[in-house]
Amino acid sequence: MRPALPRWAGTLAVKSAAFIAVMCCALAALLGVLVHVSVTDQTVGQARDLALSRLQDATEAYEAGDALLPGAGVDPEGLPERLRVLAVAGERGTMVSSHQGRPIMWAAGPANGHRALAVEVDYSQQARTIAGLDRSILWSSALAIGATLLVGAFAVTRVTRRLHGTAQVARRISAGDLDARVNDPRTKDATRPQDEVAAVAAALDSMASSLQSKLLSEQRFTADVAHELRTPLTGLHAAAELLPPGRPTELVRDRVAALRTLTEDLLEISRLDTGRERLEVDTEELGALAARVVRTSGTDTEVRIVRDARVETDRRRLERVLGNLVANAHKHGAAPVVLTVDGPVVTVRDHGGGYPEYLVAHGPQRFRTEGGAKGHGLGLTIAVGQAEVLGARLFFGNALGGGAVATLYLQ
């Protein structure tokens, strides 16, 4: 199983900083190795040439029987064994080793009697030069990496700050705030270069404007239709009341009543869509209010009071929410229907086929039907809208034992 990373490890700024740091370290290491190898080869080469030159002079003096210069000798103390073996075998060679705590460049060649003639050259200065070079490479690399990280972090942070702002606006739009806009200044000034973040911001603003325009058109259409239907429906209702008693008259009156209810629901939805509804808050006993809703509905609904509570709410709107939930449970579910009050939480459960998957996942949608079912009309849509006005949360789900469950969480 892949281990979970901390949340901060997934941010673009951290990933960019890590990438910049890795690339800087790799580049600094590569340049450092190249400089170290080049300078070391040059320094060692110069010391080797000097040691071989002194070995040549010592060899000439040894063959002429003259006294050897200081630093030269036959089988001297400290001569590396590998170099001694090479010289005895008739070859010349050089090697750097430590003798008496000092770095020495040795050069050795053959002498009479299977012996080795060798000279030593002090290598301390060259060793200090290479060590100083390595320290300079490390310090300069660290400074370069730090400066690059600061510049890179500044540049990346400017981009990520704009991306975070765009994401926040997108979340506000998805939450229903269609007036939210990014308003990136780069999208307003055509002379400024348009980067990818500005393109995303412009596309998001354009999408929000288009969505807002379409929703406003839909809201106006709904309100206009509902208002236009009220006048003829009032006349139709009055005419239906004048019809003689009988089965056809009952059917006409029933359909007229249903159409009037639908029109009133459309008007209520249009008012909720405007977002201008105002609360009339008072203190209510939740258990008594729930019992009153059930009595008014005229349905066979069981009321269970697990824990009563007093809530600050708009009584009319809360009754509307609970009434719609109870009515929907009886209309689209199956008995028994139970309304439960447990503190500020109210649940309405039926024992029918449960809510459709789309409703559980995305909430109620106006007039939507699925699989030949009758749909859930506008009742649940109004319940959700009124719950939002109350500042409550309304969730829809299906019970494990079967049946639909609507849960209202009051503040």
Side-chain angles (χ1 to χ4, degrees):
M1 184 177 178
R2 189 175 180 179
L5 297 175
R7 292 185 63 183
W8 56 264
T11 62
L12 179 60
V14 173
K15 290 180 179 179
S16 300
F19 175 77
I20 293 173
V22 170
M23 293 304 297
C24 287
C25 289
L27 182 61
L30 178 61
L31 293 177
V33 169
L34 291 176
V35 172
H36 173 83
V37 170
S38 176
V39 173
T40 300
D41 287 346
Q42 182 180 0
T43 304
V44 172
Q46 292 174 352
R48 181 182 293 113
D49 292 341
L50 177 60
L52 289 175
S53 175
R54 290 186 180 180
L55 176 63
Q56 179 64 33
D57 295 340
T59 300
E60 293 176 356
Y62 179 76
E63 291 176 350
D66 297 335
L68 296 178
L69 296 174
V74 177
D75 291 334
E77 180 185 358
L79 180 66
E81 186 61 28
R82 289 176 57 192
L83 189 58
R84 185 190 303 275
V85 171
L86 181 66
V88 171
E91 301 290 339
R92 285 188 174 189
T94 60
M95 180 179 293
V96 177
S97 68
S98 179
H99 178 54
Q100 295 181 349
R102 295 183 301 115
I104 299 295
M105 170 65 78
W106 291 95
N112 294 333
H114 298 287
R115 302 169 72 188
L117 175 63
V119 296
E120 61 179 78
V121 176
D122 188 6
Y123 194 70
S124 300
Q125 181 62 38
Q126 290 86 342
R128 286 194 295 268
T129 299
I130 294 174
L133 175 66
D134 291 342
R135 287 192 297 270
S136 298
I137 291 174
L138 289 176
W139 279 107
S140 61
S141 297
L143 290 175
I145 291 172
T148 305
L149 278 176
L150 289 176
V151 174
F154 174 75
V156 171
T157 301
R158 292 187 64 187
V159 175
T160 55
R161 188 183 300 115
R162 293 168 61 199
L163 287 175
H164 281 305
T166 303
Q168 289 176 355
V169 171
R171 283 191 288 267
R172 288 172 57 191
I173 292 173
S174 65
D177 183 7
L178 298 182
D179 292 324
R181 297 291 185 273
V182 179
N183 290 325
D184 194 314
R186 290 170 177 78
T187 62
K188 307 296 183 182
D189 188 356
T191 62
R192 301 183 66 176
Q194 303 295 306
D195 57 10
E196 289 78 3
V197 180
V200 172
L204 181 62
D205 287 349
S206 176
M207 181 196 70
S209 298
S210 176
L211 181 61
Q212 185 178 40
S213 177
K214 291 179 180 179
L215 287 178
L216 289 176
S217 297
E218 179 185 342
Q219 292 171 8
R220 283 194 298 267
F221 175 76
T222 301
D224 292 344
V225 168
H227 280 290
E228 291 298 327
L229 285 175
R230 285 185 102 178
T231 301
L233 276 176
T234 301
L236 188 59
H237 176 72
E241 293 297 325
L242 298 175
L243 293 176
R247 181 60 180 167
T249 299
E250 292 179 0
L251 291 176
V252 170
R253 290 175 178 173
D254 178 68
R255 292 302 85 196
V256 170
L259 192 54
R260 289 189 68 181
T261 300
L262 176 59
T263 303
E264 294 299 327
D265 287 347
L266 287 174
L267 285 171
E268 184 171 358
I269 286 178
S270 68
R271 290 194 299 270
L272 291 172
D273 285 340
T274 61
R276 299 174 182 175
E277 294 288 273
R278 294 294 179 264
L279 294 177
E280 297 179 4
V281 179
D282 199 358
T283 303
E284 299 289 339
E285 293 284 348
L286 196 52
L289 186 145
R292 185 166 59 249
V293 168
V294 170
R295 286 196 306 270
T296 304
S297 68
T299 59
D300 184 16
T301 303
E302 180 184 355
V303 179
R304 296 178 183 174
I305 309 298
V306 177
R307 179 167 55 93
D308 204 353
R310 293 175 63 86
V311 294
E312 298 287 334
T313 187
D314 187 321
R315 178 183 58 80
R316 181 183 63 83
R317 297 184 188 279
L318 182 55
E319 288 179 347
R320 179 67 160 153
V321 173
L322 297 182
N324 281 14
L325 295 179
V326 170
N328 184 83
H330 283 281
K331 184 176 180 180
H332 299 285
V337 176
V338 181
L339 187 153
T340 304
V341 177
D342 187 359
V345 180
V346 182
T347 59
V348 178
R349 177 187 176 182
D350 62 59
H351 290 75
Y355 291 122
E357 291 184 3
Y358 78 85
L359 194 149
V360 175
H362 306 290
Q365 301 177 26
R366 304 171 190 180
F367 301 113
R368 175 167 178 173
T369 60
E370 192 169 276
K374 295 168 59 179
H376 286 73
L378 300 177
L380 295 185
T381 303
I382 293 174
V384 171
Q386 293 290 8
E388 291 179 355
V389 175
L390 291 172
R393 294 172 295 157
L394 181 57
F395 298 97
F396 301 96
N398 293 318
L400 295 177
V405 181
T407 307
L408 179 67
Y409 294 90
L410 297 167
Q411 297 290 346

